[in-house]
Amino acid sequence: MSYDAEATRRRIFEAAAAEFAAHGLAGARVERIAAAAKANKQAIYLYFGGKEKLFGAVVRAKVDEVCHSNALDPCAVAESVGQLFDWYQDHPELIRLLLWEALETGAGPVQGEDERRAAYRDNVRDLVDGGVGAGLDEPRRTRAAQDWMFTVLGLVAWNFAVPQLCRLVLDEQDDKAALARRRDAVVSTVRTLAAGRSGDA
């Protein structure tokens, strides 16, 4: 049987995503990733260049996945934000990865920062083209779209960053019931924000 390099890369990537989500960059162990991927440690360094670069690649891929799966559409805000909420609920590893990244890098640069910033700029341009900040001159229109996107992402992501607060503040015994309430509240809030987005001066 011939060696399948691409299959090995995929296994390493999937094992790394689980390991980093559970333990962060500092706590992750290359040995555990290799064992879970049924690969040797040398393959990790060969394909990804080391633990730090592998962590950066995992975070970037997960961010790209949510961006490509769920575009924020200001013309269909309820649907797109609801879909985004559902995606985060189905993929809790992204929030954990981003929290670990924030804790471990602080204010410093993150792996692949320039590429990730460029991707967000593309998202912001799409929002501007969709009408966010209409009536404002540049650069205020772009700034309005950036703020709108960051606010929406925060409204969605916070529910999954602190699930215990979601349950406790809403005084729900059941996590699913709490998230269902939060989904409705987030969609309603973003719909209100979208209705007033062009009136901001």
Short mmCIF file of all heavy atoms in Angstrom, two decimals, residues 3 31 34 40 60-61 83 106 119 122 142 144-145 148 158 160 162 185-187:
data_model
loop_
_atom_site.label_atom_id
_atom_site.label_comp_id
_atom_site.label_asym_id
_atom_site.label_seq_id
_atom_site.Cartn_x
_atom_site.Cartn_y
_atom_site.Cartn_z
N TYR A 3 2.01 5.23 0.41
CA TYR A 3 1.83 6.24 1.45
C TYR A 3 0.97 7.38 0.90
O TYR A 3 1.24 7.93 -0.17
CB TYR A 3 3.20 6.76 1.88
CG TYR A 3 3.14 7.84 2.94
CD1 TYR A 3 2.79 7.55 4.24
CD2 TYR A 3 3.43 9.17 2.61
CE1 TYR A 3 2.75 8.53 5.21
CE2 TYR A 3 3.38 10.16 3.57
CZ TYR A 3 3.05 9.84 4.86
OH TYR A 3 3.00 10.82 5.81
N GLU A 31 3.28 14.87 20.65
CA GLU A 31 3.19 13.41 20.77
C GLU A 31 1.73 12.95 20.73
O GLU A 31 1.40 11.93 20.10
CB GLU A 31 3.84 12.94 22.07
CG GLU A 31 5.33 13.15 22.14
CD GLU A 31 5.72 14.57 22.57
OE1 GLU A 31 4.82 15.40 22.84
OE2 GLU A 31 6.93 14.86 22.63
N ALA A 34 0.37 13.37 17.14
CA ALA A 34 0.89 12.31 16.28
C ALA A 34 0.19 10.98 16.56
O ALA A 34 -0.19 10.26 15.62
CB ALA A 34 2.40 12.18 16.47
N ASN A 40 3.82 9.98 12.54
CA ASN A 40 4.97 10.23 13.39
C ASN A 40 5.19 11.74 13.56
O ASN A 40 4.67 12.53 12.77
CB ASN A 40 6.23 9.53 12.87
CG ASN A 40 6.59 9.96 11.46
OD1 ASN A 40 6.68 11.15 11.18
ND2 ASN A 40 6.80 9.00 10.58
N ARG A 60 -6.64 29.48 11.40
CA ARG A 60 -6.97 30.11 10.12
C ARG A 60 -7.99 29.29 9.34
O ARG A 60 -8.95 29.83 8.79
CB ARG A 60 -5.69 30.30 9.30
CG ARG A 60 -5.92 30.74 7.86
CD ARG A 60 -6.38 32.20 7.80
NE ARG A 60 -6.86 32.56 6.50
CZ ARG A 60 -6.09 32.96 5.48
NH1 ARG A 60 -4.78 33.04 5.64
NH2 ARG A 60 -6.63 33.29 4.33
N ALA A 61 -7.81 27.99 9.29
CA ALA A 61 -8.73 27.13 8.55
C ALA A 61 -10.13 27.16 9.15
O ALA A 61 -11.13 27.20 8.42
CB ALA A 61 -8.21 25.70 8.51
N GLN A 83 -28.08 31.54 10.86
CA GLN A 83 -27.21 30.48 10.35
C GLN A 83 -25.84 30.52 11.01
O GLN A 83 -25.25 29.48 11.33
CB GLN A 83 -27.08 30.60 8.83
CG GLN A 83 -28.35 30.25 8.09
CD GLN A 83 -28.31 30.67 6.63
OE1 GLN A 83 -27.32 31.21 6.14
NE2 GLN A 83 -29.40 30.43 5.93
N GLY A 106 -1.85 37.36 23.66
CA GLY A 106 -2.07 38.70 24.21
C GLY A 106 -2.27 39.71 23.10
O GLY A 106 -3.02 39.48 22.17
N ALA A 119 -8.52 38.74 4.73
CA ALA A 119 -9.81 38.06 4.58
C ALA A 119 -10.93 38.87 5.23
O ALA A 119 -12.03 39.00 4.67
CB ALA A 119 -9.74 36.66 5.20
N ASP A 122 -11.94 41.70 3.05
CA ASP A 122 -12.85 41.26 1.99
C ASP A 122 -14.28 41.18 2.52
O ASP A 122 -15.24 41.58 1.84
CB ASP A 122 -12.42 39.89 1.45
CG ASP A 122 -11.15 39.96 0.64
OD1 ASP A 122 -10.77 41.06 0.19
OD2 ASP A 122 -10.52 38.89 0.43
N THR A 142 -16.50 52.46 5.68
CA THR A 142 -15.77 51.22 5.97
C THR A 142 -15.70 50.98 7.47
O THR A 142 -15.88 49.85 7.94
CB THR A 142 -14.35 51.28 5.36
OG1 THR A 142 -14.48 51.29 3.94
CG2 THR A 142 -13.51 50.10 5.81
N ALA A 144 -17.86 51.92 9.68
CA ALA A 144 -19.18 51.48 10.12
C ALA A 144 -19.39 50.00 9.83
O ALA A 144 -19.94 49.26 10.65
CB ALA A 144 -20.26 52.32 9.43
N ALA A 145 -18.93 49.54 8.66
CA ALA A 145 -19.05 48.12 8.31
C ALA A 145 -18.19 47.25 9.23
O ALA A 145 -18.60 46.17 9.65
CB ALA A 145 -18.69 47.91 6.85
N TRP A 148 -19.93 47.13 12.57
CA TRP A 148 -21.14 46.31 12.48
C TRP A 148 -20.77 44.83 12.50
O TRP A 148 -21.35 44.05 13.25
CB TRP A 148 -21.89 46.66 11.19
CG TRP A 148 -23.27 46.09 11.11
CD1 TRP A 148 -24.40 46.61 11.66
CD2 TRP A 148 -23.67 44.89 10.44
NE1 TRP A 148 -25.49 45.80 11.37
CE2 TRP A 148 -25.06 44.74 10.63
CE3 TRP A 148 -22.99 43.93 9.70
CZ2 TRP A 148 -25.77 43.67 10.11
CZ3 TRP A 148 -23.71 42.86 9.18
CH2 TRP A 148 -25.08 42.73 9.38
N TRP A 158 -20.25 35.32 21.96
CA TRP A 158 -20.24 35.37 23.43
C TRP A 158 -21.08 34.26 24.03
O TRP A 158 -20.77 33.73 25.10
CB TRP A 158 -20.74 36.74 23.88
CG TRP A 158 -20.65 36.97 25.36
CD1 TRP A 158 -21.68 37.18 26.23
CD2 TRP A 158 -19.45 37.04 26.17
NE1 TRP A 158 -21.21 37.38 27.50
CE2 TRP A 158 -19.84 37.29 27.49
CE3 TRP A 158 -18.10 36.92 25.87
CZ2 TRP A 158 -18.93 37.42 28.53
CZ3 TRP A 158 -17.18 37.03 26.92
CH2 TRP A 158 -17.60 37.28 28.22
N PHE A 160 -21.24 31.27 23.17
CA PHE A 160 -20.50 30.01 23.18
C PHE A 160 -19.18 30.14 23.93
O PHE A 160 -18.59 29.14 24.32
CB PHE A 160 -20.29 29.54 21.74
CG PHE A 160 -21.59 29.44 21.01
CD1 PHE A 160 -22.00 30.43 20.13
CD2 PHE A 160 -22.45 28.38 21.25
CE1 PHE A 160 -23.22 30.35 19.49
CE2 PHE A 160 -23.68 28.29 20.61
CZ PHE A 160 -24.07 29.28 19.73
N VAL A 162 -18.96 31.70 26.87
CA VAL A 162 -19.28 31.57 28.30
C VAL A 162 -20.65 30.88 28.45
O VAL A 162 -21.62 31.49 28.92
CB VAL A 162 -19.27 32.94 29.00
CG1 VAL A 162 -17.86 33.45 29.20
CG2 VAL A 162 -20.10 33.97 28.23
N ALA A 185 -32.94 36.13 20.61
CA ALA A 185 -32.59 37.48 21.05
C ALA A 185 -31.52 38.09 20.16
O ALA A 185 -31.58 39.29 19.82
CB ALA A 185 -32.12 37.45 22.50
N VAL A 186 -30.52 37.29 19.77
CA VAL A 186 -29.45 37.81 18.91
C VAL A 186 -30.00 38.19 17.54
O VAL A 186 -29.69 39.27 17.01
CB VAL A 186 -28.32 36.77 18.78
CG1 VAL A 186 -27.36 37.14 17.66
CG2 VAL A 186 -27.56 36.65 20.10
N VAL A 187 -30.82 37.34 16.95
CA VAL A 187 -31.39 37.65 15.63
C VAL A 187 -32.23 38.92 15.71
O VAL A 187 -32.14 39.80 14.84
CB VAL A 187 -32.23 36.46 15.11
CG1 VAL A 187 -33.05 36.86 13.89
CG2 VAL A 187 -31.31 35.28 14.78
#
